[in-house]
Amino acid sequence: MPSALRQSAEISWGQFLEAASQAGINVPEDAPVLASAPLVFAVSRFVAEQCARRPKVFAELVAGGDLKAPGRAGKYLGELTATLEEVTEFTELQRRLRQYRNREMVRIAWRDIAGWAPIEDTLCELSLLAEACLQAALKWLFRRACSRFGTPCGPDGRPQYPVVLGMGKLGGWELNFSSDVDLIFAFEHDGRLAERSGLSYQEFYLRLCRDLIKALHAPTEDGFVFRIDTRLRPFGDSGPLVLSFEAMDIYYQSQGRDWERYAMIKARPVAGDLEAGARLVESLKPFVYRRYLDYGALGALRELKRKIMEELKRRDRLDDIKLGPGGIREIEFIAQVFQLIRGGREPSLRDPRLLVTLARLQELGFLPPEEADALIAAYRFLRQVENRLQEYADEQTQRLPQDEAGRQRLALGMGVADWEALKQRLDAVRRRVQTLFERVFALPEATAEGLGAQVWRGVEEEDRLRSQLAELGYREPKASLERLQAFKSARPVRCLTAKAAAELDRLMPALLEAAGRCRAPDQVLGRLLDLLEAIAGRSAYLTLLAENPSALSQLIRLVAASPWIAGQLTRFPLLLDELIDPRVLYAPLTRKQLEADLERRLSGLDRRDDEALLNALRHFKQTHVLRVAAADLAGAIPTRVVSDYLTAIAEVVLEKAVALAWRQVAEKHGPPPGAGADAVRDFIVVGYGKLGGIELGYGSDLDLVFLYRGEAEAQTQGPRPVPLSQFFIRLGQRLCFILTTPMLSGVLYAIDMRLRPSGNAGLLVTSLAAFARYQRESAWTWEHQALVRARPVAGDAELKSAFERVRLEILCLKRDLAKLRRDVVAMREKMRRHLDRSDAARFDLKHGLGGVVDIEFIVQFGCLAYAHRRPEAFGYTDNLRLLEALAEVGWLTQKEARFLQATYLQFRSCLHRLALEEQPAWVGQEAFCAERAEVARLWRQLLESSEREI
């Protein structure tokens, strides 16, 4: 310890011992306390003075073990309430609050400086101490106010406490040692006191909250409890000190400013009616968190930081470790900008605790692990420095000391050899924070002087503008210029707000230049302008693209590659959110990840809000199909896996849709006997066609059949019971509603129910027993063909297994091969007559001779003819594995099976590409000639003759 600090500590310790002696107090001998005392007394004048002023309190802290106890925060409120129980005078209230506060602040500071508590515990204890002081004082003052003026009551007749919202560090359980406490006061229900005073509730709470501030804030001979700052309330200093919930809602909806959104991230009820406070905070969340990715928050916080820096420079305070470069505020801004941008879509980011938020940003992949870890470590270090600065004299300061003694004291308190070593570490930490801050908040590169900006401004002559477009790479500059001028004069663009117009002006130069570098720039520009016209009224999306060059780059790449993707983005702009992170965009999720993602999206929604639930399902589906398409176009996944992903998305949606429909119908009519309202039982959805065969494409319909099990006449168990048959029909109707109802977010899936028994004339939902009977006794051959690719995709696991047994039983029936061959060939010829669009120039890839459907019919015939030879090989429903099964039973050679598998995959890959290009399922007659000829030859050999029978 430097000699000057050692001497100061010795003097302070001597003063304490002298005061204890004069008061007749023996200081307990405690080795850890005595060993840490020189350090604590050297670093904190506040602790030394408090010990000398009230030696008895310090002796009690040591003797009772409280000084070393890590878990006292839970006792604060109980002890304070007991301390104030017999108090009758306001001045005595102030005295006891201050004395209790000082006792606990000595304890907290000692443990912090001695290294007995991690910084997170210290900040949390300080916050909980402030909460306890607020709660105990408010309770005492409320009781006194009610005795004077009467009691304000809620609609239920019970006394109505006000709500005290803790903001800033208090709201985040991160209060520093000598911090202001930022508060907002409110009350839920307005009214007027019926007793003698006749005061309005507003006036009652105004007087009460003024008294609360005075009780805690006003300096007395015992100091203060906590400094109170109420400037974060609506209208700031010029506004009412306390407002009703209704008035607050009106204010934030109509006049709330960007910085208030930032402040409200930390809002938390800390005293008064905590349940009402939670309702208030919940009601304000739509103001704080947007449903879309709100990149406008970047600009708002960037501007706020600029103003802070200008003020620091003006006051020569750049060495401020809170507000200066690389300081605490920059770490907070990094976390909170992600919260504002993404909190509307990621409820887990709505936590007021900064360290928790940084950890979640890492878990969600929004911050790389090394950056998140660096910010977390920097925050802990800087908050510890901040505490040491304030623990010296209990003063609110974040400025590094300018004097030698102060620097030595800070280095000692931080456990560093000397000031130079500490300064070196401080500078390194702040540089790292500043680098990360600037990376997050960096302005996109300016293109104000480029050709794109000149074309967008359009002040040149038309010939010159066309020439500039040509220089940018456009091949039809005249047409592109006309399209650009039409976009400028379109009503959505003309009606832009000033803010949105400014964002468009920032965006367009970069967009024009990037589109010009595409392979077909004029087409790409047209698609982009259609998209921008659709989103013009939503300035947040313009900001997203203007702020995020990576997102703009991904957008142009996808739009250039696929008009289908361009159309999806134009119809559903929320999908633009998916363009932010290429690591996510090009990495479709596994089945388990999809289930977790959908559960997360729905978990924060009101289960009674049909619109929100349906929109969430639609956005989930659109988001993940877009990811698959992006990965497909980038060649990141093979064709077979494209269909696997698309099918998994549909299955996850169906499982959740069935669960939602079940719960809604069960709540109305009660569940079937033995079932619960939250677990689907005795009902399944069977997928046919491409869904059943795990071969979905982009935009595929879902061929579905609904089956149930149970006694049709049995009654449900609820207030409005219905027979089971009626329950399951209503369940099927509700499921159809969830899947097909048009919303602003589109239709979830188009469905086709014609494959159910008796087709459109049959019941919407059939019992499994009736389904099996129909398949055995009445089904046509084409219905058995369809059963080859039938697979249960959602619902009761036991019933799924029962259906699979029925399916295999029907497939394994021994059939008259001659009749089967005639039926299959006749159906194929009928389909070709009606559906084949091949001509001299083009080949219909699906229905043409030697195309996709021919391969599917070969598989279906083979399964119906020979599944009985080896039933266990025909449990699969996808054509690729069924071809393997047909080779195993000997109907196909291994070479033929491999050829048909490879050709089928080629055809499907081509169909995926055509779908993404919004082209019909046609190719030129020169395409796949050898493959088509071989498929046609196998068709003739396998289905038009009996030579391959086994």
Side-chain angles (χ1 to χ4, degrees):
M1 187 182 299
S3 59
L5 295 182
R6 183 169 59 250
Q7 184 179 4
S8 171
E10 288 170 352
I11 291 170
S12 296
W13 186 253
Q15 290 170 343
F16 160 64
L17 292 177
E18 183 180 349
S21 175
Q22 289 177 358
I25 295 168
N26 291 320
V27 181
E29 294 285 333
D30 185 291
V33 173
L34 292 175
S36 59
L39 172 64
V40 175
F41 273 55
V43 170
S44 177
R45 190 178 72 195
F46 165 77
V47 171
E49 288 176 349
Q50 287 294 321
C51 290
R53 186 173 182 182
R54 299 175 68 201
K56 181 180 179 184
V57 171
F58 179 72
E60 290 171 352
L61 277 172
V62 177
D66 286 350
L67 192 64
K68 293 188 291 186
R72 271 192 47 74
K75 301 176 182 177
Y76 290 157
L77 184 57
E79 290 178 351
L80 266 172
T81 302
T83 297
L84 302 180
E85 192 67 39
E86 304 301 321
V87 172
T88 58
E89 297 296 326
F90 184 79
T91 53
E92 181 62 14
L93 169 73
Q94 289 181 303
R95 188 179 70 83
R96 295 203 182 187
L97 284 170
R98 281 154 181 75
Q99 289 181 353
Y100 185 85
R101 178 264 187 192
N102 289 336
R103 174 190 193 273
E104 292 304 319
M105 293 294 270
V106 165
R107 174 186 164 273
I108 292 170
W110 195 295
R111 291 176 50 74
D112 186 33
I113 296 167
W116 297 348
I119 188 64
E120 293 96 324
D121 287 3
T122 299
L123 302 179
C124 186
E125 282 210 54
L126 289 164
S127 304
L128 294 174
L129 176 61
E131 277 186 57
C133 292
L134 283 163
Q135 289 172 310
L138 182 62
K139 184 177 180 182
W140 189 92
L141 292 166
F142 184 78
R143 205 163 50 232
R144 185 182 75 154
C146 291
S147 68
R148 287 182 175 181
F149 308 117
T151 303
C153 294
D156 58 2
R158 292 188 298 178
Q160 177 180 260
Y161 274 81
V163 166
V164 182
L165 293 184
M167 310 291 286
K169 297 288 196 304
L170 176 60
W173 289 281
E174 297 158 351
L175 207 62
N176 44 288
F177 190 80
S178 192
S179 176
D180 284 354
V181 172
D182 296 301
L183 301 179
I184 292 179
F185 301 109
F187 60 96
E188 188 165 19
H189 302 289
D190 209 348
R192 186 169 290 278
L193 295 171
E195 286 89 345
R196 57 191 178 280
S197 70
L199 288 177
S200 67
Y201 284 9
Q202 171 89 28
E203 181 63 26
F204 175 90
Y205 293 122
L206 178 60
R207 296 186 183 191
L208 174 63
C209 293
R210 282 174 177 164
D211 285 346
L212 179 62
I213 293 170
K214 185 177 178 183
L216 300 174
H217 181 93
T220 71
E221 62 179 9
D222 294 299
F224 60 93
V225 185
F226 287 95
R227 304 177 191 88
I228 306 296
D229 189 335
T230 61
R231 290 175 297 174
L232 292 179
R233 69 186 187 269
F235 303 106
D237 277 340
S238 62
L241 182 63
V242 58
L243 282 172
S244 68
F245 283 16
E246 182 182 8
M248 291 189 72
D249 184 58
I250 292 170
Y251 171 81
Y252 286 114
Q253 282 193 37
S254 61
Q255 299 187 53
R257 291 159 290 181
D258 285 327
W259 69 263
E260 288 175 300
R261 291 181 58 209
Y262 160 73
M264 274 291 166
I265 289 174
K266 296 284 192 182
R268 181 173 65 87
V270 294
D273 189 333
L274 299 180
E275 290 183 5
R279 290 193 290 272
L280 175 60
V281 170
E282 188 65 29
S283 73
L284 295 177
K285 280 186 178 171
F287 165 68
V288 183
Y289 302 106
R290 306 296 194 242
R291 294 176 65 181
Y292 48 80
L293 287 192
D294 182 17
Y295 263 73
L298 263 175
L301 286 177
R302 190 186 285 129
E303 177 63 14
L304 182 56
K305 174 64 177 175
R306 184 188 64 77
K307 291 178 179 178
I308 290 171
M309 292 305 296
E310 285 180 356
E311 179 65 13
L312 288 176
K313 288 175 183 175
R314 187 183 67 80
R315 296 164 55 192
D316 191 24
R317 293 285 299 275
L318 292 178
D319 58 350
D320 189 304
I321 63 161
K322 176 182 177 181
L323 301 177
I328 294 166
R329 181 57 53 84
E330 288 192 356
I331 303 175
E332 293 171 339
F333 273 16
I334 291 171
Q336 287 159 355
V337 76
F338 279 105
Q339 289 180 290
L340 288 175
I341 290 172
R342 295 184 173 275
R345 302 276 299 280
E346 292 285 352
S348 67
L349 290 178
R350 299 175 192 173
D351 197 298
R353 295 168 294 178
L354 186 133
L355 291 177
V356 170
T357 298
L358 289 173
R360 287 191 179 148
L361 288 171
Q362 177 179 335
E363 291 166 12
L364 294 167
F366 299 142
L367 277 179
E370 63 278 6
E371 292 185 8
D373 290 345
L375 290 171
I376 288 169
Y379 184 74
R380 288 181 174 135
F381 176 71
L382 292 172
R383 292 305 306 275
Q384 197 169 26
V385 172
E386 179 185 44
N387 263 12
R388 293 295 179 275
L389 292 171
Q390 297 181 357
E391 283 162 348
Y392 172 62
D394 194 13
E395 292 176 351
Q396 188 180 22
T397 180
Q398 284 92 10
R399 193 173 188 186
L400 293 172
Q402 306 300 304
D403 60 297
E404 185 60 28
R407 290 175 170 180
Q408 288 181 348
R409 185 170 53 248
L410 180 58
L412 178 67
M414 292 298 295
V416 179
D418 54 38
W419 170 249
E420 287 304 318
L422 177 60
K423 186 69 165 58
Q424 242 180 352
R425 186 178 174 193
L426 265 168
D427 290 345
V429 167
R430 294 178 67 182
R431 277 196 303 270
R432 178 67 167 147
V433 170
Q434 190 175 11
T435 298
L436 296 177
F437 176 85
E438 288 173 353
R439 185 178 303 168
V440 171
F441 285 85
L443 278 165
E445 290 184 19
T447 57
E449 300 308 316
L451 281 176
Q454 295 175 45
V455 171
W456 175 243
R457 287 198 297 266
V459 295
E460 308 277 354
E461 295 291 332
E462 283 204 10
D463 287 347
R464 176 62 181 150
L465 292 174
R466 286 197 292 270
S467 173
Q468 289 171 333
L469 279 169
E471 284 185 64
L472 286 171
Y474 292 89
R475 295 164 192 170
E476 300 173 24
K478 183 175 184 295
S480 288
L481 182 59
E482 290 172 356
R483 181 67 186 85
L484 189 60
Q485 290 168 338
F487 170 74
K488 283 185 173 184
S489 61
R491 189 172 185 279
V493 178
R494 286 188 290 106
C495 295
L496 288 175
T497 63
K499 179 181 177 182
E503 297 292 10
L504 186 63
D505 288 340
R506 278 209 299 152
L507 167 64
M508 287 305 298
L511 182 144
L512 286 167
E513 291 173 10
R517 294 190 289 269
C518 294
R519 189 173 55 187
D522 306 279
Q523 289 181 350
V524 172
L525 179 62
R527 293 170 194 168
L528 288 168
L529 294 178
D530 287 341
L531 169 60
L532 291 179
E533 193 171 326
I535 66 171
R538 309 181 191 188
S539 62
Y541 292 120
L542 300 177
T543 303
L544 182 154
L545 296 171
E547 283 281 359
N548 197 312
S550 173
L552 178 60
S553 173
Q554 298 304 323
L555 171 65
I556 292 172
R557 178 178 179 180
L558 293 173
V559 166
S562 170
W564 179 84
I565 290 181
Q568 289 290 103
L569 293 170
T570 301
R571 286 192 294 275
F572 312 118
L574 271 175
L575 294 176
L576 287 168
D577 298 350
E578 301 304 318
L579 301 174
I580 302 304
D581 189 347
R583 295 171 304 171
V584 174
L585 178 61
Y586 296 104
L589 301 184
T590 64
R591 173 68 182 261
K592 285 187 176 180
Q593 290 170 326
L594 288 168
E595 289 170 348
D597 183 49
L598 182 54
E599 187 60 37
R600 178 183 57 78
R601 289 169 185 255
L602 297 178
S603 62
L605 301 178
D606 184 344
R607 58 191 288 175
R608 296 163 296 183
D609 188 344
D610 273 359
E611 183 179 357
L613 292 170
L614 266 58
N615 280 326
L617 285 171
R618 282 152 176 75
H619 188 247
F620 168 84
K621 179 239 180 165
Q622 292 155 1
T623 293
H624 289 291
V625 170
L626 175 66
R627 287 187 180 183
V628 174
D632 187 7
L633 288 168
I637 53 177
T639 300
R640 182 173 184 173
V641 177
V642 170
S643 291
D644 289 350
Y645 278 123
L646 293 174
T647 304
I649 293 165
E651 289 181 28
V652 169
V653 167
L654 284 167
E655 281 283 11
K656 184 56 68 174
V658 169
L660 291 174
W662 177 277
R663 191 185 67 223
Q664 291 167 351
V665 177
E667 284 176 353
K668 186 174 183 180
H669 298 292
D678 290 319
V680 178
R681 182 169 169 180
D682 294 330
F683 177 84
I684 59 171
V685 177
V686 178
Y688 276 70
K690 287 185 169 54
L691 174 61
I694 320 176
E695 295 167 355
L696 278 184
Y698 302 105
S700 292
D701 292 355
L702 303 185
D703 295 304
L704 304 179
V705 169
F706 302 152
L707 301 177
Y708 77 95
R709 176 173 58 186
E711 295 295 328
E713 299 307 315
Q715 297 282 306
T716 60
Q717 303 168 312
R720 298 167 61 185
V722 293
L724 279 193
S725 58
Q726 189 67 25
F727 174 89
F728 286 115
I729 286 172
R730 293 188 180 181
L731 177 61
Q733 291 170 337
R734 188 64 190 172
L735 181 55
C736 291
F737 171 84
I738 290 172
L739 295 173
T740 64
T741 298
M743 309 283 290
L744 288 176
S745 52
V747 169
L748 191 51
Y749 281 102
I751 63 173
D752 189 335
M753 305 288 295
R754 290 175 294 177
L755 288 173
R756 66 185 187 269
S758 303
N760 285 338
L763 293 171
L764 179 65
V765 185
T766 309
S767 72
L768 179 64
F771 174 85
R773 188 166 54 251
Y774 176 85
Q775 292 290 339
R776 294 187 195 105
E777 300 172 4
S778 307
W780 296 81
T781 299
W782 67 264
E783 291 177 289
H784 285 176
Q785 286 181 250
L787 198 61
V788 169
R789 294 206 289 176
R791 181 174 60 92
V793 293
D796 182 350
E798 288 185 11
L799 189 54
K800 285 180 181 179
S801 298
F803 170 82
E804 287 168 345
R805 291 193 293 271
V806 169
R807 170 186 173 271
L808 205 54
E809 174 202 330
I810 301 302
L811 293 189
C812 291
L813 293 173
K814 290 190 177 181
R815 293 172 170 82
D816 179 338
L817 292 185
K819 179 180 182 305
L820 177 63
R821 185 175 288 108
R822 286 195 303 274
D823 289 348
V824 172
V825 170
M827 175 57 69
R828 182 69 193 99
E829 289 175 350
K830 180 180 178 182
M831 288 177 65
R832 188 174 286 122
R833 283 196 304 274
H834 288 90
L835 299 173
D836 187 3
R837 297 292 181 268
S838 301
D839 57 25
R842 64 192 183 189
F843 172 69
D844 188 327
L845 198 53
K846 290 179 68 175
H847 298 289
L849 181 62
V852 169
V853 177
D854 280 355
I855 298 175
E856 292 174 346
F857 268 53
I858 288 171
V859 171
Q860 291 161 17
F861 172 83
C863 290
L864 295 178
Y866 300 113
H868 66 277
R869 287 180 171 265
R870 193 171 175 185
E872 67 275 11
F874 290 85
Y876 299 113
T877 59
D878 61 287
N879 285 307
L880 298 179
R881 283 184 289 192
L882 288 172
L883 283 166
E884 291 176 6
L886 291 171
E888 287 182 31
V889 299
W891 187 59
L892 295 176
T893 67
Q894 289 290 342
K895 182 179 178 181
E896 288 168 342
R898 285 195 297 272
F899 163 76
L900 289 171
Q901 286 175 326
T903 302
Y904 192 63
L905 280 174
Q906 277 186 287
F907 288 170
R908 277 173 48 199
S909 179
C910 188
L911 288 171
H912 287 322
R913 287 293 185 276
L914 291 169
L916 290 176
E917 293 169 10
E918 293 193 330
Q919 297 296 317
W922 305 329
V923 293
Q925 278 291 356
E926 71 283 356
F928 304 115
C929 289
E931 291 86 351
R932 290 154 47 196
E934 179 61 13
V935 171
R937 186 191 70 77
L938 286 171
W939 172 272
R940 290 191 298 272
Q941 188 179 88
L942 295 168
L943 273 83
E944 294 181 2
S945 74
S946 59
E947 63 181 79
R948 293 289 289 271
E949 289 183 11
I950 56 174

